[in-house]
Amino acid sequence: MTERRPLAQSSKRRKVRATAELKALKREAARLDLLFAEDPRAAIAAARALASASAPEDHGPKMVAAGILVDGGQELNDAAAIDDGVAYFRQVHAVVPASPQLDYNLANGISAQVNLRNDPPWSSARCAARREARSLYLRSVALGRSPKDRSQAHTNHANLLRGSYRMLEAYDAYVAALQEEPKNGVASSGVARLLLEIVTQGLGPPELTNLAARYLHHAGASKAEIVELAGPHALKRIDELSARARGHQPEPRRQPLGFAGFVWRHRLALSVSMELLNPFRRFWDDLSLGTVSEPISSGPEIPPVFSMWNVLKADYAAARWLAYAATQPFRERGAYQDTLDYANYGTKQSLVV
């Protein structure tokens, strides 16, 4: 009878082999990173060779190769390299359980694909790709193990939203990145760039330029983090932005209490910038329709879009107040039937609904 190898010894050997393979993979990743810094085209070729030589079930080399292919493709505007990188990420994503890092990397690859597409910006294919990338970024945030990882996912999600012209959503995503990791200079510069675009396009007040200067000052204090996350070329772009955003930097306001604090904390005011919001002003929701152009034959009546805007704004303000009321202490006065389905019934639940 053939004698079986002792289980402890077998397990120990497997651990040693796995450790050796991981160290070899890290060395290969470091080699490709150095090659990428010197010659992105050569790094792409080496990444393809690494992925081709790996076994179908060997996911590590494919992940390393895919990262280089996506980064190199972006650097050289090489759509084929990005497509190959995304294909490898998808292969691994199909068999590996939920992984925030894999979600993040695949989302980056899809975002890179969107940026190099030749079809119209609002084509159905582009919209579908952006939607998938947004979903992956948000799942990466939800599953992220560290504030730094979640901050990076928020930042790239914000970049994707900004590229989709969803400016206020991008603004909130950049701020969420800074809440996770205050030293994220890439997010700070992203907010500044966004604010300057809003002012340039006439969508916000000139005071936003001063706020952009404050964010750029914060980014300048995080140069090491910027180089680590986005490379040395990102510092040059920040210097160029700083030349456009020179002015008085407004001091950060303290968070108010009560309903104003709820609106402030969750960024729920209908205003371009929460940072400049004065909670002591009578009106917080200062977003408005400036002008509407109509043919002269339309008549003297005020266009109905203004009343539509008023109704939407009022309904939003009412929903915001109900949401705040649902978070406050409340003594329930109603007695409800037990439905045995673990549902919650009550005034606060109905306020939320």
Side-chain angles (χ1 to χ4, degrees), residues 20-35:
E21 290 174 352
L22 181 60
K23 288 181 178 179
L25 186 62
K26 287 183 176 179
R27 287 195 298 270
E28 187 64 19
R31 181 184 74 83
L32 288 178
D33 284 341
L34 288 174
L35 183 59

Side-chain angles (χ1 to χ4, degrees), residues 196-313:
L196 293 174
E197 288 175 354
I198 290 173
V199 173
T200 301
Q201 296 176 25
L203 301 176
E207 291 80 7
L208 294 180
T209 301
N210 298 332
L211 183 59
R214 192 177 89 192
Y215 274 108
L216 285 169
H217 178 75
H218 176 271
S222 308
K223 291 183 177 179
E225 289 79 8
I226 291 172
V227 172
E228 178 186 353
L229 294 174
H233 58 281
L235 291 177
K236 182 180 179 181
R237 291 202 297 266
I238 291 175
D239 290 339
E240 293 170 352
L241 286 174
S242 298
R244 293 169 51 196
R246 290 177 179 172
H248 170 68
Q249 299 179 25
E251 291 296 324
R253 287 197 170 102
R254 297 180 63 181
Q255 181 175 309
L257 302 176
F259 179 53
F262 175 81
V263 173
W264 178 291
R265 183 168 62 256
H266 297 289
R267 301 177 67 81
L268 297 177
L270 294 178
S271 180
V272 172
S273 171
M274 287 300 304
E275 288 85 343
L276 297 181
L277 182 69
N278 183 353
F280 300 104
R281 287 174 52 193
R282 181 182 177 187
F283 299 115
W284 299 343
D285 303 318
D286 53 13
L287 283 185
S288 62
L289 298 176
T291 60
V292 174
S293 298
E294 284 194 323
I296 195 168
S297 59
S298 299
E301 294 82 10
I302 294 177
V305 69
F306 286 102
S307 60
M308 296 175 187
W309 174 262
N310 286 342
V311 170
L312 287 170
K313 200 170 188 178

Side-chain angles (χ1 to χ4, degrees), residues 24-288:
L25 186 62
K26 287 183 176 179
R27 287 195 298 270
E28 187 64 19
R31 181 184 74 83
L32 288 178
D33 284 341
L34 288 174
L35 183 59
F36 177 79
E38 298 172 358
D39 187 348
R41 202 173 300 279
I44 287 175
R48 284 196 170 107
L50 174 65
S52 299
S54 62
E57 70 280 1
D58 199 356
H59 304 313
K62 290 185 176 66
M63 289 281 288
V64 171
I68 293 294
L69 288 167
V70 170
D71 290 347
Q74 291 183 93
E75 183 77 16
L76 301 174
N77 291 328
D78 185 342
I82 295 174
D83 290 345
D84 287 346
V86 170
Y88 286 129
F89 279 137
R90 288 194 185 280
Q91 285 180 24
V92 181
H93 197 267
V95 295
V96 172
S99 162
Q101 193 61 38
L102 182 53
D103 288 340
Y104 172 80
N105 286 328
L106 178 55
N108 285 345
I110 295 170
S111 298
Q113 284 180 319
V114 169
N115 292 336
L116 288 185
R117 290 183 69 98
N118 295 320
D119 49 342
W122 300 115
S123 68
S124 58
R126 277 199 180 201
C127 290
R130 290 193 188 107
R131 185 164 54 249
E132 182 184 11
R134 289 196 304 269
S135 176
L136 289 165
Y137 279 134
L138 290 175
R139 191 166 71 170
S140 179
V141 169
L143 299 177
R145 296 185 181 91
S146 71
K148 184 176 179 180
D149 290 343
R150 294 191 293 270
S151 182
Q152 285 183 262
H154 273 307
T155 301
N156 285 8
H157 182 212
N159 291 337
L160 180 65
L161 289 167
R162 175 175 160 265
S164 310
Y165 305 100
R166 299 169 68 155
M167 291 186 170
L168 293 185
E169 292 173 273
Y171 194 168
D172 286 346
Y174 282 127
V175 172
L178 289 168
Q179 289 171 343
E180 290 283 357
E181 176 52 76
K183 291 184 178 181
N184 186 342
V186 176
S188 295
S189 65
V191 177
R193 183 180 295 107
L194 186 66
L195 292 171
L196 293 174
E197 288 175 354
I198 290 173
V199 173
T200 301
Q201 296 176 25
L203 301 176
E207 291 80 7
L208 294 180
T209 301
N210 298 332
L211 183 59
R214 192 177 89 192
Y215 274 108
L216 285 169
H217 178 75
H218 176 271
S222 308
K223 291 183 177 179
E225 289 79 8
I226 291 172
V227 172
E228 178 186 353
L229 294 174
H233 58 281
L235 291 177
K236 182 180 179 181
R237 291 202 297 266
I238 291 175
D239 290 339
E240 293 170 352
L241 286 174
S242 298
R244 293 169 51 196
R246 290 177 179 172
H248 170 68
Q249 299 179 25
E251 291 296 324
R253 287 197 170 102
R254 297 180 63 181
Q255 181 175 309
L257 302 176
F259 179 53
F262 175 81
V263 173
W264 178 291
R265 183 168 62 256
H266 297 289
R267 301 177 67 81
L268 297 177
L270 294 178
S271 180
V272 172
S273 171
M274 287 300 304
E275 288 85 343
L276 297 181
L277 182 69
N278 183 353
F280 300 104
R281 287 174 52 193
R282 181 182 177 187
F283 299 115
W284 299 343
D285 303 318
D286 53 13
L287 283 185
S288 62

